[in-house]
PDB file of all heavy atoms in Angstrom:
ATOM      1  N   MET A  42       0.830  -1.214   0.000  1.00 87.00           N
ATOM      2  CA  MET A  42       0.000   0.000   0.000  1.00 87.00           C
ATOM      3  C   MET A  42       0.859   1.257   0.000  1.00 87.00           C
ATOM      4  O   MET A  42       0.506   2.257  -0.625  1.00 87.00           O
ATOM      5  CB  MET A  42      -0.959  -0.024   1.185  1.00 87.00           C
ATOM      6  CG  MET A  42      -2.061  -1.066   1.009  1.00 87.00           C
ATOM      7  SD  MET A  42      -3.266  -1.058   2.323  1.00 87.00           S
ATOM      8  CE  MET A  42      -4.311   0.279   1.784  1.00 87.00           C
ATOM      9  N   SER A  43       1.996   1.190   0.679  1.00 84.00           N
ATOM     10  CA  SER A  43       2.911   2.326   0.674  1.00 84.00           C
ATOM     11  C   SER A  43       3.465   2.551  -0.729  1.00 84.00           C
ATOM     12  O   SER A  43       3.553   3.695  -1.197  1.00 84.00           O
ATOM     13  CB  SER A  43       4.038   2.068   1.673  1.00 84.00           C
ATOM     14  OG  SER A  43       4.988   3.093   1.614  1.00 84.00           O
ATOM     15  N   GLU A  44       3.830   1.470  -1.386  1.00 86.00           N
ATOM     16  CA  GLU A  44       4.332   1.585  -2.763  1.00 86.00           C
ATOM     17  C   GLU A  44       3.246   2.103  -3.703  1.00 86.00           C
ATOM     18  O   GLU A  44       3.516   2.916  -4.592  1.00 86.00           O
ATOM     19  CB  GLU A  44       4.854   0.226  -3.240  1.00 86.00           C
ATOM     20  CG  GLU A  44       6.119  -0.224  -2.531  1.00 86.00           C
ATOM     21  CD  GLU A  44       6.499  -1.671  -2.831  1.00 86.00           C
ATOM     22  OE1 GLU A  44       5.737  -2.379  -3.530  1.00 86.00           O
ATOM     23  OE2 GLU A  44       7.564  -2.100  -2.352  1.00 86.00           O
ATOM     24  N   ALA A  45       2.017   1.637  -3.492  1.00 86.00           N
ATOM     25  CA  ALA A  45       0.902   2.109  -4.324  1.00 86.00           C
ATOM     26  C   ALA A  45       0.667   3.598  -4.106  1.00 86.00           C
ATOM     27  O   ALA A  45       0.405   4.340  -5.060  1.00 86.00           O
ATOM     28  CB  ALA A  45      -0.358   1.317  -4.005  1.00 86.00           C
ATOM     29  N   ALA A  46       0.760   4.019  -2.853  1.00 84.00           N
ATOM     30  CA  ALA A  46       0.564   5.436  -2.541  1.00 84.00           C
ATOM     31  C   ALA A  46       1.629   6.286  -3.219  1.00 84.00           C
ATOM     32  O   ALA A  46       1.333   7.345  -3.778  1.00 84.00           O
ATOM     33  CB  ALA A  46       0.587   5.646  -1.032  1.00 84.00           C
ATOM     34  N   THR A  47       2.861   5.808  -3.195  1.00 82.00           N
ATOM     35  CA  THR A  47       3.957   6.542  -3.827  1.00 82.00           C
ATOM     36  C   THR A  47       3.775   6.586  -5.348  1.00 82.00           C
ATOM     37  O   THR A  47       3.976   7.623  -5.980  1.00 82.00           O
ATOM     38  CB  THR A  47       5.305   5.886  -3.485  1.00 82.00           C
ATOM     39  OG1 THR A  47       5.457   5.875  -2.072  1.00 82.00           O
ATOM     40  CG2 THR A  47       6.469   6.637  -4.111  1.00 82.00           C
ATOM     41  N   ALA A  48       3.359   5.460  -5.921  1.00 83.00           N
ATOM     42  CA  ALA A  48       3.199   5.386  -7.380  1.00 83.00           C
ATOM     43  C   ALA A  48       1.990   6.173  -7.867  1.00 83.00           C
ATOM     44  O   ALA A  48       1.952   6.580  -9.031  1.00 83.00           O
ATOM     45  CB  ALA A  48       3.077   3.926  -7.805  1.00 83.00           C
ATOM     46  N   ALA A  49       1.007   6.399  -7.006  1.00 82.00           N
ATOM     47  CA  ALA A  49      -0.208   7.093  -7.430  1.00 82.00           C
ATOM     48  C   ALA A  49       0.034   8.559  -7.742  1.00 82.00           C
ATOM     49  O   ALA A  49      -0.713   9.164  -8.503  1.00 82.00           O
ATOM     50  CB  ALA A  49      -1.283   6.961  -6.345  1.00 82.00           C
ATOM     51  N   GLY A  50       1.063   9.122  -7.163  1.00 75.00           N
ATOM     52  CA  GLY A  50       1.372  10.523  -7.445  1.00 75.00           C
ATOM     53  C   GLY A  50       0.426  11.473  -6.748  1.00 75.00           C
ATOM     54  O   GLY A  50      -0.216  11.139  -5.760  1.00 75.00           O
ATOM     55  N   THR A  51       0.341  12.684  -7.319  1.00 72.00           N
ATOM     56  CA  THR A  51      -0.498  13.727  -6.725  1.00 72.00           C
ATOM     57  C   THR A  51      -1.554  14.150  -7.724  1.00 72.00           C
ATOM     58  O   THR A  51      -1.604  13.666  -8.844  1.00 72.00           O
ATOM     59  CB  THR A  51       0.351  14.952  -6.342  1.00 72.00           C
ATOM     60  OG1 THR A  51       0.835  15.538  -7.539  1.00 72.00           O
ATOM     61  CG2 THR A  51       1.493  14.586  -5.436  1.00 72.00           C
ATOM     62  N   ALA A  52      -2.369  15.079  -7.319  1.00 67.00           N
ATOM     63  CA  ALA A  52      -3.417  15.592  -8.198  1.00 67.00           C
ATOM     64  C   ALA A  52      -2.962  16.855  -8.929  1.00 67.00           C
ATOM     65  O   ALA A  52      -3.756  17.528  -9.553  1.00 67.00           O
ATOM     66  CB  ALA A  52      -4.669  15.882  -7.384  1.00 67.00           C
ATOM     67  N   VAL A  53      -1.668  17.162  -8.862  1.00 62.00           N
ATOM     68  CA  VAL A  53      -1.148  18.364  -9.507  1.00 62.00           C
ATOM     69  C   VAL A  53      -0.722  17.998 -10.925  1.00 62.00           C
ATOM     70  O   VAL A  53       0.134  17.141 -11.115  1.00 62.00           O
ATOM     71  CB  VAL A  53       0.044  18.941  -8.711  1.00 62.00           C
ATOM     72  CG1 VAL A  53       0.604  20.165  -9.410  1.00 62.00           C
ATOM     73  CG2 VAL A  53      -0.391  19.262  -7.296  1.00 62.00           C
ATOM     74  N   PRO A  54      -1.311  18.601 -11.949  1.00 59.00           N
ATOM     75  CA  PRO A  54      -0.960  18.255 -13.333  1.00 59.00           C
ATOM     76  C   PRO A  54       0.486  18.618 -13.651  1.00 59.00           C
ATOM     77  O   PRO A  54       1.008  19.619 -13.162  1.00 59.00           O
ATOM     78  CB  PRO A  54      -1.910  19.102 -14.188  1.00 59.00           C
ATOM     79  CG  PRO A  54      -2.818  19.809 -13.246  1.00 59.00           C
ATOM     80  CD  PRO A  54      -2.315  19.617 -11.863  1.00 59.00           C
ATOM     81  N   GLY A  55       1.116  17.743 -14.422  1.00 55.00           N
ATOM     82  CA  GLY A  55       2.460  18.013 -14.901  1.00 55.00           C
ATOM     83  C   GLY A  55       3.559  17.616 -13.954  1.00 55.00           C
ATOM     84  O   GLY A  55       4.725  17.809 -14.267  1.00 55.00           O
ATOM     85  N   THR A  56       3.286  17.036 -12.821  1.00 52.00           N
ATOM     86  CA  THR A  56       4.357  16.628 -11.925  1.00 52.00           C
ATOM     87  C   THR A  56       4.830  15.251 -12.324  1.00 52.00           C
ATOM     88  O   THR A  56       4.095  14.434 -12.849  1.00 52.00           O
ATOM     89  CB  THR A  56       3.877  16.588 -10.462  1.00 52.00           C
ATOM     90  OG1 THR A  56       2.805  15.669 -10.361  1.00 52.00           O
ATOM     91  CG2 THR A  56       3.455  17.954  -9.981  1.00 52.00           C
ATOM     92  N   GLU A  57       6.095  15.002 -12.072  1.00 50.00           N
ATOM     93  CA  GLU A  57       6.679  13.712 -12.391  1.00 50.00           C
ATOM     94  C   GLU A  57       7.038  13.009 -11.101  1.00 50.00           C
ATOM     95  O   GLU A  57       7.378  13.639 -10.102  1.00 50.00           O
ATOM     96  CB  GLU A  57       7.939  13.902 -13.242  1.00 50.00           C
ATOM     97  CG  GLU A  57       7.649  14.529 -14.588  1.00 50.00           C
ATOM     98  CD  GLU A  57       8.926  14.738 -15.379  1.00 50.00           C
ATOM     99  OE1 GLU A  57       9.955  14.131 -15.046  1.00 50.00           O
ATOM    100  OE2 GLU A  57       8.889  15.522 -16.323  1.00 50.00           O
ATOM    101  N   ALA A  58       6.990  11.687 -11.120  1.00 49.00           N
ATOM    102  CA  ALA A  58       7.266  10.896  -9.923  1.00 49.00           C
ATOM    103  C   ALA A  58       8.706  11.082  -9.451  1.00 49.00           C
ATOM    104  O   ALA A  58       8.993  10.980  -8.274  1.00 49.00           O
ATOM    105  CB  ALA A  58       6.982   9.425 -10.191  1.00 49.00           C
ATOM    106  N   SER A  59       9.628  11.396 -10.377  1.00 49.00           N
ATOM    107  CA  SER A  59      11.029  11.512  -9.979  1.00 49.00           C
ATOM    108  C   SER A  59      11.329  12.830  -9.258  1.00 49.00           C
ATOM    109  O   SER A  59      12.352  12.969  -8.618  1.00 49.00           O
ATOM    110  CB  SER A  59      11.938  11.369 -11.205  1.00 49.00           C
ATOM    111  OG  SER A  59      11.659  12.421 -12.112  1.00 49.00           O
ATOM    112  N   VAL A  60      10.450  13.814  -9.398  1.00 49.00           N
ATOM    113  CA  VAL A  60      10.654  15.097  -8.752  1.00 49.00           C
ATOM    114  C   VAL A  60       9.698  15.185  -7.566  1.00 49.00           C
ATOM    115  O   VAL A  60       8.485  15.242  -7.760  1.00 49.00           O
ATOM    116  CB  VAL A  60      10.372  16.269  -9.723  1.00 49.00           C
ATOM    117  CG1 VAL A  60      10.563  17.603  -9.027  1.00 49.00           C
ATOM    118  CG2 VAL A  60      11.238  16.148 -10.949  1.00 49.00           C
ATOM    119  N   PRO A  61      10.227  15.170  -6.336  1.00 52.00           N
ATOM    120  CA  PRO A  61       9.324  15.260  -5.191  1.00 52.00           C
ATOM    121  C   PRO A  61       8.655  16.628  -5.149  1.00 52.00           C
ATOM    122  O   PRO A  61       9.313  17.653  -5.213  1.00 52.00           O
ATOM    123  CB  PRO A  61      10.222  15.035  -3.975  1.00 52.00           C
ATOM    124  CG  PRO A  61      11.607  15.262  -4.455  1.00 52.00           C
ATOM    125  CD  PRO A  61      11.622  15.059  -5.936  1.00 52.00           C
ATOM    126  N   LEU A  62       7.359  16.616  -5.088  1.00 46.00           N
ATOM    127  CA  LEU A  62       6.586  17.850  -5.063  1.00 46.00           C
ATOM    128  C   LEU A  62       6.487  18.337  -3.627  1.00 46.00           C
ATOM    129  O   LEU A  62       6.144  17.586  -2.737  1.00 46.00           O
ATOM    130  CB  LEU A  62       5.188  17.596  -5.627  1.00 46.00           C
ATOM    131  CG  LEU A  62       4.257  18.799  -5.673  1.00 46.00           C
ATOM    132  CD1 LEU A  62       4.796  19.839  -6.654  1.00 46.00           C
ATOM    133  CD2 LEU A  62       2.864  18.362  -6.069  1.00 46.00           C
ATOM    134  N   GLN A  63       6.792  19.587  -3.421  1.00 48.00           N
ATOM    135  CA  GLN A  63       6.698  20.179  -2.095  1.00 48.00           C
ATOM    136  C   GLN A  63       5.404  20.976  -2.001  1.00 48.00           C
ATOM    137  O   GLN A  63       4.973  21.575  -2.976  1.00 48.00           O
ATOM    138  CB  GLN A  63       7.896  21.097  -1.821  1.00 48.00           C
ATOM    139  CG  GLN A  63       9.246  20.413  -1.913  1.00 48.00           C
ATOM    140  CD  GLN A  63       9.450  19.403  -0.787  1.00 48.00           C
ATOM    141  OE1 GLN A  63       9.041  19.648   0.329  1.00 48.00           O
ATOM    142  NE2 GLN A  63      10.042  18.282  -1.090  1.00 48.00           N
ATOM    143  N   GLY A  64       4.831  20.957  -0.832  1.00 48.00           N
ATOM    144  CA  GLY A  64       3.607  21.720  -0.617  1.00 48.00           C
ATOM    145  C   GLY A  64       3.898  23.205  -0.543  1.00 48.00           C
ATOM    146  O   GLY A  64       5.054  23.621  -0.489  1.00 48.00           O
ATOM    147  N   PRO A  65       2.874  24.004  -0.529  1.00 50.00           N
ATOM    148  CA  PRO A  65       3.084  25.459  -0.443  1.00 50.00           C
ATOM    149  C   PRO A  65       3.662  25.830   0.918  1.00 50.00           C
ATOM    150  O   PRO A  65       3.259  25.292   1.940  1.00 50.00           O
ATOM    151  CB  PRO A  65       1.671  26.028  -0.621  1.00 50.00           C
ATOM    152  CG  PRO A  65       0.759  24.907  -0.284  1.00 50.00           C
ATOM    153  CD  PRO A  65       1.486  23.637  -0.587  1.00 50.00           C
ATOM    154  N   VAL A  66       4.635  26.698   0.895  1.00 49.00           N
ATOM    155  CA  VAL A  66       5.264  27.154   2.130  1.00 49.00           C
ATOM    156  C   VAL A  66       5.320  28.671   2.100  1.00 49.00           C
ATOM    157  O   VAL A  66       5.356  29.288   1.043  1.00 49.00           O
ATOM    158  CB  VAL A  66       6.693  26.585   2.300  1.00 49.00           C
ATOM    159  CG1 VAL A  66       6.652  25.087   2.502  1.00 49.00           C
ATOM    160  CG2 VAL A  66       7.561  26.925   1.108  1.00 49.00           C
ATOM    161  N   PRO A  67       5.311  29.301   3.257  1.00 52.00           N
ATOM    162  CA  PRO A  67       5.426  30.768   3.287  1.00 52.00           C
ATOM    163  C   PRO A  67       6.765  31.216   2.683  1.00 52.00           C
ATOM    164  O   PRO A  67       7.752  30.474   2.712  1.00 52.00           O
ATOM    165  CB  PRO A  67       5.372  31.092   4.779  1.00 52.00           C
ATOM    166  CG  PRO A  67       4.830  29.875   5.461  1.00 52.00           C
ATOM    167  CD  PRO A  67       5.150  28.719   4.579  1.00 52.00           C
ATOM    168  N   VAL A  68       6.762  32.400   2.147  1.00 52.00           N
ATOM    169  CA  VAL A  68       7.974  32.949   1.546  1.00 52.00           C
ATOM    170  C   VAL A  68       9.076  33.004   2.603  1.00 52.00           C
ATOM    171  O   VAL A  68       8.858  33.462   3.724  1.00 52.00           O
ATOM    172  CB  VAL A  68       7.716  34.356   0.962  1.00 52.00           C
ATOM    173  CG1 VAL A  68       8.999  34.948   0.403  1.00 52.00           C
ATOM    174  CG2 VAL A  68       6.649  34.294  -0.102  1.00 52.00           C
ATOM    175  N   GLY A  69      10.257  32.499   2.239  1.00 54.00           N
ATOM    176  CA  GLY A  69      11.396  32.526   3.138  1.00 54.00           C
ATOM    177  C   GLY A  69      11.470  31.340   4.076  1.00 54.00           C
ATOM    178  O   GLY A  69      12.464  31.151   4.751  1.00 54.00           O
TER     179      GLY A  69
END
């Protein structure tokens, strides 16, 4: 299930599995 979760990706269009997507963070 952990592997499936990782392979499922995110709901953000255009992201690739090899590039970890970071959530929004405050400036700085």
Side-chain angles (χ1 to χ4, degrees):
M42 289 184 82
S43 175
E44 291 170 355
T47 301
T51 67
V53 178
T56 60
E57 296 178 17
S59 62
V60 179
L62 180 66
Q63 301 292 322
V66 293
V68 177

